[in-house]
């Protein structure tokens, strides 16, 4: 009656959906991974450059999706590439989403065990998290978008507050020299920056849910722009506050940064607690996005209802979470996901676009 | 290669846990479905029961044959000791007539003067004008010339007539006239109009609804001149019927919303609707939600303001509580006073209430998670002083909190029932002495007493009593979450509430508007109460016909 019953989201919601899908684990891991590979203070240029590349990728994805209004990648990939190859590509994407979902929870659980709940068995952290996520995914795209809309402003506010206060540690000399070793370290750093933007593949499904798909490019670029700026600030602040050497040696540099100063006379004195809280919520959003997209994919691929798939995916996500044994395995998976992301990029949007162009322009087919 | 893969295949414990991950939510889902189906099947059916101005044709009509009608009524209700039949003869026409009424509910003076006197003596002049008027005493002539009453209703069905008589109307049957006339309104004893006790204000009208529906509707009408305030009456209750009025602004309300309200009201199927709470529970969207989806109020000014925002009000006879639909979460934290005071104090109070709601919901959970799980996250000096005071306490913090919280809840429940003169005394004994003694006895820590007291006071600062109860229930759930998983549990609890709220709807309006779906223009009446000159538009979420508040 008042609210549309068909699953459609506004452009703002779509942008926030993308932001909340991408902004997550990277807040804590990105500074170390990018400086580790770049080994110079120029790591922040890599973030900027990576963001620029991802923006181009996203424009490509949106343009592709806009050719098939109201259809997700799971549906139009079969239309473009044929039934079997299309299904195969969709399957690949689904597996990719499940792996990321498991990875996100694992990182979440590791941090929680390290900072908040020492000695708690990992399953006790992971399982309730999956359940609550399942409850959200049950509500469909509308419910998810609304929860994101509530969490998003709080997250941004707290994050910026943390960075604002960490400004007192900021030393511009830590960021110098600019491009001292040339452009090569920046390019090396690109590899790890791509990882933090993984998940932007959801663009190919959200566009289908948008109320005004013609605004998709603007909305999605905003959606990726916000995490890009935040990641940039994260890296600049971490390196500027801690120096390159300490960022490389610390496991969670952002938390170390926030921990290393106290605001006396304030209730919390240290801001790591609010940072952890909003980071957990952000991880929850991340996880739910992938959970939703994976179950949506399966449901559209096999033409099944959502409910049984959501239940069915829960144990698989749990297993995906538990497969890495040590924390180094977790990081290895992270790298693998980054590589998978690049592969997915070439297989889905690029390949599909090429086929589409060939079929439409070259063979004059009506796809 | 193969051996590396094998080494990463998790052990059987993990697989058992994976199975647990699947089975638990499946079980919960199944139970929820069953429960929901059970509740909604037992509830109202899809058929329309109550209809506006029901025109059912009963078998027995008032025939106009005096003897037959009278004996029918006498047989049906004459057995009641308090039903009186006063027979007399209409002067000038020599027609027999009877007044039927229930003892104590007739308006003696008005009946005597305007009915008895008129019919027995007053129409002598008329007879001279027309000699054959004995034949022409018709219903219309009777109404036009003989009965000087403003409220006069004619009833043609005998069964309906009996119902009305027993409800307190005074009925008049006259030989030859095929209708019963209700000449007197029920005149039972009613309560005086008092201040709204559940929504007391310092500034603002001190008038509250009473139990009489006509009084309540008239209070709404008297709010100001307006030709668009429309009220439609429905009859609810299958065995004991009551009037239910749907009030709305004809030119503002969204027609879809109105239609939805009407269909839901007409679906009500219950033998007796004792209070508007019955209506609320029978027409709400989600029976299993802890949040109320319909607002109840006893303030006419609140109702009229809601109507002007494009909402719909339901007034039931016999209760001072009117219902307002649809309701959103932010409305539960608003009070009419916000608008009566200037905007700065109004804004401050708003913010205070949001904070109080947060405290009422989360304070004990935060206490548990900080004390039991993460003492490292609070400043060191504070933690030392808290730990010092907790030294002798033999319980884990969750038991400690539960002891005090449960006693406060009991005290609060008992406080409502205590006789007025000893109420405050018991409050002091219960709150102060027990709290102090518990600290001295070493059962709880003094810091916790502060937390629990702040929580209790916070939940009273919420303007809607029913919303306060919701927070009280959820507070205990939050404590359980915190006791199991500390801060993580608390965050999961908050997320659960968010998720539930975003799924909830009240008559099709998402419960958390304007947070989400985001309606920035409605935010000027959310955390802040913007100056009145800025509030030019009605809430966007209501999708009203007239968007602007001014011409």
């Amino acid at each position: 009656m008042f609210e549309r019953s068909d699953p459609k989201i506004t452009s703002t919601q779509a942008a926030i959906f993308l932001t909340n899908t991408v902004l997550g684990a990277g807040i804590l891991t990105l500074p170390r991974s990018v400086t580790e590979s770049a080994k110079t203070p120029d790591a922040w240029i890599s973030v900027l450059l990576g963001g620029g590349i991802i923006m181009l990728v996203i424009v490509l994805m949106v343009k592709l999706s806009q050719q098939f209004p109201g259809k997700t990648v799971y549906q139009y990939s079969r239309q473009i590439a044929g039934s079997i190859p299309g299904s195969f590509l969709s399957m690949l994407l689904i597996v990719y989403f499940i792996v990321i979902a498991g990875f996100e929870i694992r990182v979440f659980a590791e941090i929680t065990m390290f900072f908040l709940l020492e000695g708690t068995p990992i399953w006790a952290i992971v399982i309730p998290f999956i359940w609550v996520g399942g409850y959200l995914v049950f509500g469909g795209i509308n419910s998810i978008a609304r929860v994101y809309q509530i969490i998003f402003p709080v997250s941004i506010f707290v994050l910026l507050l943390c960075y604002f206060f960490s400004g007192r540690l900021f030393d511009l000399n830590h960021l110098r020299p600019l491009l001292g070793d040339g452009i090569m370290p920046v390019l090396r750093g690109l590899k790890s920056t791509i990882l933090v933007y993984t998940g932007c593949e959801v663009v190919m499904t959200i566009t289908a849910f948008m109320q005004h798909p013609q605004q998709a490019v603007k909305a999605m670029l905003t959606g990726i722009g916000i995490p890009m700026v935040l990641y940039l600030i994260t890296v600049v602040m971490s390196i500027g506050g801690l120096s390159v050497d300490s960022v490389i040696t610390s496991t969670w540099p952002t938390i170390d940064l926030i921990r290393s100063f106290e605001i006396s006379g304030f209730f919390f004195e240290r801001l790591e607690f609010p940072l952890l809280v909003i980071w957990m919520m952000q991880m929850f959003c991340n996880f739910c996005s992938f959970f939703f997209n994976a179950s949506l994919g399966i449901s559209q691929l096999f033409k099944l209802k959502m409910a049984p798939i959501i239940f069915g995916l829960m144990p698989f996500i749990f297993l995906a979470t538990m497969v890495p044994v040590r924390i180094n395995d977790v990081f290895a998976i992270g790298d693998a996901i980054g590589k998978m992301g690049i592969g997915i990029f070439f297989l889905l949007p690029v390949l599909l676009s090429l086929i589409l162009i060939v079929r439409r322009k070259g063979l004059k087919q009506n796809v | 290669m193969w051996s590396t893969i094998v080494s990463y295949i998790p052990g059987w414990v993990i697989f058992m846990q994976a199975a647990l991950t699947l089975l638990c939510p499946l079980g919960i889902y199944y139970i929820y479905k069953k429960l929901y189906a059970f509740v909604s099947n037992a509830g109202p059916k899809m058929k329309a029961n109550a209809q506006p101005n029901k025109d059912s044709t009963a078998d027995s009509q008032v025939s106009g044959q005096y003897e037959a009608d009278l004996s029918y009524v006498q047989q049906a209700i004459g057995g009641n000791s308090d039903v009186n039949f006063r027979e007399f003869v209409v002067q000038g026409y020599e027609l027999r007539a009877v007044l039927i009424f229930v003892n104590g509910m007739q308006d003696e003076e008005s009946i005597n003067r305007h009915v008895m006197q008129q019919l027995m003596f007053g129409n002598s002049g008329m007879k001279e004008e027309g000699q054959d008027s004995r034949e022409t005493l018709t219903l219309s002539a009777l109404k036009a010339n003989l009965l000087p009453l403003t409220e006069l209703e004619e009833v043609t069905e005998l069964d309906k007539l009996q119902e009305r008589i027993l409800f307190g109307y005074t009925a008049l049957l006259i030989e030859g006239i095929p209708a019963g006339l209700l000449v007197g309104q029920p005149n039972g004893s009613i309560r005086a109009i008092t201040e709204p006790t559940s929504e007391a204000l310092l500034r603002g009208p001190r008038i509250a609804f009473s139990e009489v529906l006509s009084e309540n509707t008239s209070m709404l009408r008297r709010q100001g001149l307006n030709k668009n305030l429309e009220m439609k009456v429905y009859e609810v209750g299958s065995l004991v019927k009551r009037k239910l009025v749907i009030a709305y602004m004809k030119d503002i309300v969204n027609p879809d919303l109105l239609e939805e309200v009407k269909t839901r009201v007409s679906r009500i199927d219950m033998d007796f609707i004792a209070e508007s709470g019955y209506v609320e529970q029978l027409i709400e969207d989600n029976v299993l939600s802890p949040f109320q989806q319909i607002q109840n109020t006893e303030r006419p000014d609140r109702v009229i303001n809601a109507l002007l925002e494009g909402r719909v009000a339901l007034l039931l006879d016999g209760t001072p509580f009117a219902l307002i639909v649809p309701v959103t979460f932010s409305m539960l934290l608003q009070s009419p006073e916000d608008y009566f005071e200037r905007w700065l104090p109004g804004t401050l109070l708003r913010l205070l209430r949001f904070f109080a709601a947060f405290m009422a919901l989360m304070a004990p959970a935060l206490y548990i998670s900080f004390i039991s799980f993460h003492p490292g996250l609070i400043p060191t000096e504070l933690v030392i002083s808290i730990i010092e005071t907790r030294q002798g306490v033999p319980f884990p913090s969750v038991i400690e909190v539960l002891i005090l919280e449960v006693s406060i809840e009991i005290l609060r429940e008992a406080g409502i029932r205590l006789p007025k003169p000893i109420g405050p005394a018991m409050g002091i004994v219960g709150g102060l002495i027990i709290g102090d003694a518990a600290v001295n006895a070493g059962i709880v820590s003094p810091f916790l007493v502060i937390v629990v007291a702040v929580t209790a006071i916070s939940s009273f600062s919420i303007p809607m009593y029913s919303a306060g109860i919701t927070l009280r229930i959820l507070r205990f759930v939050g404590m359980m979450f915190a006791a199991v998983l500390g801060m993580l549990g608390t965050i999961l609890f908050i997320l659960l509430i968010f998720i539930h709220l975003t799924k909830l709807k009240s008559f099709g309006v998402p419960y958390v508007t304007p947070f989400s779906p985001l309606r920035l223009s409605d935010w000027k009446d959310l955390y802040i109460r913007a100056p009145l000159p800025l509030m030019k538009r009605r809430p966007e979420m209501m999708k009203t016909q007239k968007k602007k508040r001014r011409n």
Side-chain angles (χ1 to χ4, degrees), chain B residues 318-335:
Chain B
T319 173
F321 285 95
L323 301 177
I324 297 172
V325 294
V327 59
T328 52
F329 179 73
S330 57
M331 272 173 80
L332 306 179
L333 297 177
Q334 294 173 353
S335 155

Side-chain angles (χ1 to χ4, degrees), chain B residues 179-205:
Chain B
L181 291 170
L182 302 180
V183 289
Q185 292 286 309
N187 198 22
S189 47
I190 51 167
R191 188 170 62 98
I193 289 165
T194 51
E195 269 193 59
T197 40
S198 71
E199 291 160 279
L201 287 187
L202 280 179
R203 179 170 183 180

